[in-house]
Amino acid sequence: MTVWAIANQKGGVGKTTTVMTLASLLAQQGKPTLVLDMDPHGSMTTCFGFDPDTLDHSIYTLFQKLDESPNSAIFQTLKKTSQENIYLLPAATAMATLDRQLGVQSGKGLVIRKTLAHLSDRFEHVLIDCPPMLGVLMINALAACDQLLIPVQTEFLALKGLEHMLHTLAMINHSRSQPLPHLIIPTMFDRRTRASTQTLRMLREQYPDQLWQGMIPVDTQFRDASKAGIPLPALNPQAKGTLAYAELLQALLTKQQAELSHA
């Protein structure tokens, strides 16, 4: 099982789009794929046709009941989506209260890692959509993942969000035996605007070793796919956004294969 967390401490940079598109491309390759919606706003949960305000079982359930009855909590929470090979652990609005409820309870930073351990023989790939703030939900995602993907919108204000995310990563790495690998992904690139081209150049200058050399373009079809409740690769396999994410996925899988061969 390979676990990728998609995170940035700035909203609106393409986290949910990245998760849904990569998951769809993996699923189209016949790979059983699990997606986790760790954002209390539940955008991905909504896109897959579930209501985060009314779900009886969600990731919130795992934080409440995993230690008591793990198999039951996971089985009740796991949802089959309309997309073949994609399953969802959905969000609930109540997740926004977890930091206040849990306080400093020990062990609550590993709920998601423990959950995934029960599912390791069922899914090849897991993608986690993180909330845009540091708290128990993001800490769980970073503790559970093998690789961190950081989407960064190619505009100047997004660079500050990237700095915050990298600072958080540095803090997390202090408590890990090995640093968490991370990859910065330029998103919403519009070559017609000076802001996009200048921001991409700054990213390449400041983070040459951590930056994916491609970019995800602005594509209005992402909005169409979201409205239809399906990932873009299922709506239009030849859309420019689909093709860009396919390049990213190939780069990630090639890197993963290379690491396995050297292990």
Side-chain angles (χ1 to χ4, degrees), residues 4-159:
W4 297 334
I6 291 78
N8 191 324
Q9 285 173 258
K10 183 181 185 303
V13 298
K15 293 188 298 294
T16 300
T17 296
T18 298
V19 172
M20 291 190 67
T21 311
L22 290 177
S24 180
L25 290 166
L26 286 165
Q28 288 179 356
Q29 295 180 16
K31 301 177 188 292
T33 302
L34 174 65
V35 293
L36 279 69
D37 191 351
M38 300 285 283
D39 190 337
H41 288 113
S43 296
M44 185 166 65
T45 298
T46 301
C47 284
F48 278 119
F50 301 96
D51 184 353
D53 290 326
T54 60
L55 280 171
D56 290 331
H57 300 284
S58 67
I59 286 174
Y60 182 78
T61 308
L62 301 177
F63 279 87
Q64 301 297 316
K65 299 182 178 178
L66 185 69
D67 290 337
E68 302 168 17
S69 51
N71 290 331
S72 173
I74 295 168
F75 176 75
Q76 290 176 334
T77 302
L78 191 64
K79 309 293 184 189
K80 191 179 190 309
T81 73
S82 59
Q83 303 300 301
E84 188 175 3
N85 291 324
I86 299 181
Y87 285 76
L88 169 71
L89 287 175
T93 309
M95 286 159 50
T97 66
L98 280 172
D99 280 295
R100 187 173 69 251
Q101 286 183 30
L102 298 176
V104 293
Q105 285 185 39
S106 62
K108 292 302 182 181
L110 300 176
V111 170
I112 296 304
R113 181 190 283 184
K114 291 176 182 176
T115 298
L116 297 181
H118 287 276
L119 296 168
S120 60
D121 60 347
R122 183 164 178 176
F123 297 103
E124 286 188 43
H125 290 269
V126 178
L127 289 85
I128 306 176
D129 190 5
C130 296
M133 72 286 290
L134 180 59
V136 69
L137 292 166
M138 185 182 286
I139 287 170
N140 263 267
L142 297 181
C145 74
D146 308 304
Q147 167 99 40
L148 171 64
L149 307 180
I150 310 175
V152 178
Q153 183 181 0
T154 48
E155 58 96 27
F156 298 121
L157 289 176
L159 295 178

